Amino acid sequence: MLLPLAMLSLVLGILTGLVRLGWGISVSETAGQHGALMVGSFLGTVILLERAVVFKNRWTLLAPALNGLSLPAFVLGWPVAGLWLLIGGSIGMALLTYVFLIQYRYNYYYVLFGGSICLVIGNGLALKTGFFPFAVPWWIAFLLLTIVAERLELSRFLPVKPGQGLLLWGAIGVFLVGVLKPFHGSGQGLTGVGMMAVAVWLLRFDMAVKSLRKAGQPRYSGTMLLLGYGWLLLSGLLFALPLGFSFIYDAGLHTFFAGFVFSMIFAHAPIILPGILGRQGVFFHPILYVGSIGQLFGLLIRTLGDWQGDSVCRMAGGLIQGIAIGIFLICMVVIVVRFHKKPTT
């Protein structure tokens, strides 16, 4: 029940994004909730589900349930109730990650816990101010720290030297200083520098490059990861440099959320979905490249439209992104169904 709610949040988030680009789609009064739908109702619910199922206790599903129920609240025109539900879900995420932290004390759980705190702060600012741009840097921090923590967890057996690890902590520190400062002032540049430094570290020390040497799902995931790190580098660059073109803020946001974050979703979906659904194995087929690469191609067109101030290009790129994500979701559903029907030996 919760995963379908998250997927519906994604669909509505895509539709509201198309409305904001200028497409005449009727989505009631939810167009203004685009950021909350994508970061909270969709991404927050999926990440919470991924963490909650590890506990194998039904009460831990309360946090993703609160997050998921924000969708009907937004659809019914109750944005305040929706944000309160997201705050409840994010507090639940902080509690779950704190349990991991006190049990295991691994460095990546400190990063994961920090990300969950950033989500609580971001949702709280969205509720208090009613102005999502105040929440955006904290939402970025939540996703960046969560993804970095998951990559550190998956790459924990790689021979990373202490000095190399300190470089990552320094990059995260610069990034967080930027988030703490007024983002739409001096903080934006520092945030961008930190994002670029994290991207360079991941490109150098993450296991993604090694995955390219293998066939099938490892190569697919490695390709998506490296593309994602490239988008993170570009997003940081757009935030750090005063380039001054008309839609630079839009380009910076979407190269992060649609470029970096969605590349991570594409890379991890074949591995994470079995755990969420209580299955064994990996859900992969080469057809997944179609939706994954298609979405990034659409983002490239949209970013070029941002740079040129071309509304037609921006609208076309956004539409390609939405269609490609839909193709990816349909392919994943087919793969899951075929996997379920596959006879065991």
Side-chain angles (χ1 to χ4, degrees):
M1 179 61 185
L2 295 179
L3 193 58
L5 269 178
M7 294 305 104
L8 286 173
S9 299
L10 172 60
V11 171
L12 187 56
I14 292 171
L15 293 176
T16 55
L18 291 175
V19 170
R20 292 166 70 87
L21 282 172
W23 290 97
I25 302 171
S26 177
V27 286
S28 67
E29 300 177 0
T30 56
Q33 313 303 324
H34 173 67
L37 285 167
M38 294 298 284
V39 177
S41 304
F42 168 54
L43 290 168
T45 302
V46 171
I47 293 170
L48 263 167
L49 267 175
E50 177 194 355
R51 291 294 163 181
V53 295
V54 175
F55 286 89
K56 302 186 185 302
N57 293 317
R58 289 187 177 275
W59 67 267
T60 59
L61 295 175
L62 176 61
L66 290 173
N67 251 66
L69 289 173
S70 64
L71 171 64
F74 287 130
V75 170
L76 291 171
W78 303 335
V80 173
L83 289 171
W84 272 115
L85 287 165
L86 291 181
I87 289 172
S90 59
I91 291 173
M93 181 181 292
L95 292 174
L96 291 180
T97 54
Y98 181 71
V99 170
F100 276 107
L101 177 60
I102 61 175
Q103 285 183 343
Y104 301 106
R105 302 286 182 178
Y106 295 132
N107 60 352
Y108 43 83
Y109 285 135
Y110 286 94
V111 180
L112 191 67
F113 179 66
S116 65
I117 295 298
C118 289
L119 181 61
V120 175
I121 295 171
N123 290 339
L125 285 172
L127 177 65
K128 180 180 179 180
T129 66
F131 189 56
F132 286 171
F134 285 146
V136 162
W138 295 97
W139 286 343
I140 290 175
F142 154 61
L143 290 166
L144 182 62
L145 294 180
T146 299
I147 291 167
V148 168
E150 291 189 347
R151 294 312 305 164
L152 289 174
E153 184 177 11
L154 291 171
S155 304
R156 60 188 179 275
F157 298 116
L158 291 181
V160 177
K161 298 177 182 178
Q164 295 167 343
L166 286 175
L167 291 175
L168 177 61
W169 287 107
I172 291 173
V174 171
F175 168 77
L176 289 176
V177 169
V179 171
L180 286 167
K181 295 174 72 68
F183 182 75
H184 298 281
S186 58
Q188 184 170 306
L190 274 177
T191 300
V193 170
M195 290 166 68
M196 288 191 291
V198 170
V200 170
W201 193 95
L202 290 170
L203 283 165
R204 173 62 180 84
F205 297 112
D206 189 70
M207 63 187 293
V209 175
K210 297 181 183 296
S211 299
L212 295 180
R213 302 169 188 167
K214 304 176 183 179
Q217 178 271 319
R219 180 176 296 167
Y220 165 78
S221 293
T223 301
M224 292 300 107
L225 288 167
L226 291 174
L227 286 171
Y229 300 154
W231 284 110
L232 177 61
L233 187 63
L234 176 58
S235 180
L237 183 67
L238 290 171
F239 283 136
L241 296 181
L243 299 177
F245 57 85
S246 300
F247 295 101
I248 186 170
Y249 181 64
D250 181 82
L253 288 186
H254 287 91
T255 49
F256 177 82
F257 288 108
F260 172 61
V261 175
F262 265 85
S263 293
M264 299 302 105
I265 293 171
F266 296 147
H268 292 123
I271 307 167
I272 292 173
L273 264 179
I276 292 177
L277 297 174
R279 312 267 187 88
Q280 297 293 323
V282 175
F283 296 159
F284 173 73
H285 188 279
I287 193 67
L288 292 179
Y289 278 105
V290 176
S292 304
I293 299 298
Q295 196 277 144
L296 297 180
F297 176 70
L299 176 60
L300 179 61
I301 294 175
R302 174 179 179 159
T303 304
L304 290 173
D306 283 337
W307 178 37
Q308 297 292 330
D310 187 337
S311 60
V312 174
C313 197
R314 296 178 70 239
M315 290 174 66
L319 183 61
I320 293 170
Q321 286 181 268
I323 293 171
I325 292 172
I327 291 171
F328 180 84
L329 290 177
I330 292 169
C331 290
M332 282 304 315
V333 169
V334 172
I335 292 169
V336 168
V337 171
R338 287 189 61 188
F339 184 95
H340 180 66
K341 291 183 177 179
K342 185 177 178 180
T344 57
T345 57

